[in-house]
């Protein structure tokens, strides 16, 4: 696989300017050979690149593992493989079956815990079969102040979180991604499709597919930022910016949008006047 060129002078410079980054490389050196839980987001990509660099310097093997479950948009798979190749790290998809878990399908506020527990079990098993005793994942220091039930599973499975341990925030991580010229440096957070379904509404394959197709339809128009949230009675709530609201409310576009969403199986379609905001479904259960 192609390895990105490393300017050692610039790498030393950024490590000197950022104690957190220097701490990250020290932690990874202390951890030794490890596999990386790799979602393709900026956090896991920066972690994978850092692990890869330390592994090269120490002539260690490493491996990026991506959970391929029902809540991952199919369109993301090729992009994830592409960024793994860009980084230069060996990569493998690991099939997961979250929908077999009744606790996950019930979609309580602890949904992410049950999902993460299942995924980490599969990833750790794959990592161990490949000869890696340690699995690392990409939680960052900012995540500790957010509602993250999945992090409990990280702790239970004794998975390492080097970015968090080093104190790297999201802004630190994006700066490091830009330093390494990673194509995901400015990529927005993209939570799984299940996060679009309001708590208490059962997660099903049909609903996940419906949301995926709805977002793909709007993305083809260029709509961004974007979330299609699913509420009771199959109501679709579209979150985007004010400019895109005006675009979607044009008579011709509105008619096409409603027809498409109805065809996908939504009973109601609305646009949220409060605009796009991450984690908006958490507000409904507070």
């Amino acid at each position: 696989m192609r390895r990105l060129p490393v300017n050692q002078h610039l790498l030393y410079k950024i490590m000197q300017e950022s104690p957190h980054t220097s701490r990250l490389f020290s932690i990874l050196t202390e951890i030794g050979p490890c596999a990386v839980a790799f979602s393709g987001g900026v956090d896991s990509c920066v972690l994978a690149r850092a692990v890869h660099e330390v592994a090269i310097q120490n002539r260690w093997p490493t491996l990026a593992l991506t959970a391929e479950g029902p809540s991952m948009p199919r369109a993301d798979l090729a992009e994830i493989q592409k960024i793994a190749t860009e980084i230069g790290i060996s990569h493998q998809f690991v099939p997961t079956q979250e929908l077999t878990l009744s606790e996950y399908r019930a979609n309580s506020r602890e949904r992410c815990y049950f999902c993460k527990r299942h995924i980490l079990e599969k990833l750790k098993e794959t990592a161990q079969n490949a000869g890696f005793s340690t699995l690392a994942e990409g939680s960052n220091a900012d995540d500790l102040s957010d509602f993250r039930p999945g992090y409990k599973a990280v702790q239970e499975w004794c998975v390492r979180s080097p970015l968090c341990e080093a104190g790297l925030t999201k802004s630190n991580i994006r700066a490091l991604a830009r330093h390494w010229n990673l194509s995901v440096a400015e990529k927005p957070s993209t939570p799984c499709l299940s996060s679009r379904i309001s708590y208490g509404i059962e997660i099903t394959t049909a609903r996940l597919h419906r949301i995926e197709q709805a977002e793909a339809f709007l993305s083809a128009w260029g709509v961004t930022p974007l979330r299609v949230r699913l509420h009771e009675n199959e109501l679709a709530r579209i979150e985007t910016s004010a400019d895109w609201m005006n675009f979607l409310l044009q008579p011709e576009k509105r008619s096409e949008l409603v027809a498409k969403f109805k065809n996908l199986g939504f009973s109601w379609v609305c646009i949220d006047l409060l605009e796009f905001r991450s984690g908006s479904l958490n507000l409904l259960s507070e």
Side-chain angles (χ1 to χ4, degrees), residues 88-283:
I89 193 169
S90 298
H91 177 251
Q92 180 179 337
F93 287 106
V94 179
T96 58
Q97 298 84 34
E98 300 92 288
L99 283 173
T100 63
L101 307 174
S102 59
E103 304 97 328
Y104 173 77
R105 294 195 308 272
N107 196 21
S108 71
R109 278 178 61 86
E110 297 299 312
R111 177 199 66 235
C112 288
Y113 165 71
F114 298 114
C115 179
K116 197 81 166 182
R117 185 177 66 179
H118 171 75
I119 286 174
L120 292 179
E121 177 184 12
K122 298 297 184 183
L123 295 187
K124 284 208 73 170
E125 179 182 359
T126 303
Q128 289 170 352
N129 289 340
F132 297 94
S133 59
T134 302
L135 177 69
E137 62 90 43
S139 294
N140 63 63
D142 290 334
D143 292 334
L144 298 182
S145 60
D146 197 2
F147 177 65
R148 301 274 177 168
Y151 195 68
K152 180 169 66 172
V154 172
Q155 296 172 311
E156 288 178 355
W157 278 104
C158 299
V159 175
R160 297 293 294 266
S161 304
L163 302 177
C164 188
E165 294 174 35
L168 269 73
T169 64
K170 196 73 169 187
S171 61
N172 298 146
I173 292 165
R174 289 198 186 278
L176 194 50
R178 287 190 290 269
H179 168 74
W180 275 325
N181 296 317
L182 295 182
S183 59
V184 296
E186 308 305 328
K187 181 180 179 180
S189 297
T190 53
C192 74
L193 294 172
S194 296
S195 69
R196 274 74 151 170
I197 301 177
S198 185
Y199 292 127
I201 296 176
E202 184 182 8
I203 297 173
T204 66
T205 301
R207 283 174 172 148
L208 293 174
H209 181 71
R210 186 176 302 148
I211 293 167
E212 179 179 5
Q213 293 299 304
E215 291 193 349
F217 172 77
L218 293 174
S219 294
W221 280 350
V223 180
T224 185
L226 172 66
R227 293 287 188 276
V228 175
R229 312 285 191 187
L230 177 67
H231 294 271
E232 291 184 19
N233 299 317
E234 307 307 314
L235 181 148
R237 175 169 59 89
I238 300 169
E239 290 184 14
T240 188
S241 66
D243 288 341
W244 280 109
M245 288 182 203
N246 294 330
F247 172 83
L248 296 176
L249 289 173
Q250 295 175 36
E252 183 179 339
K253 293 298 182 183
R254 184 183 64 191
S255 296
E256 190 176 346
L257 167 60
V258 170
K260 178 65 175 182
F261 275 48
K262 287 281 191 177
N263 185 57
L264 289 174
F266 293 105
S267 299
W268 309 91
V269 184
C270 70
I271 297 176
D272 192 334
L273 298 182
L274 292 177
E275 300 187 65
F276 170 84
R277 58 218 182 274
S278 297
S280 66
L281 288 180
N282 289 329
L283 301 176

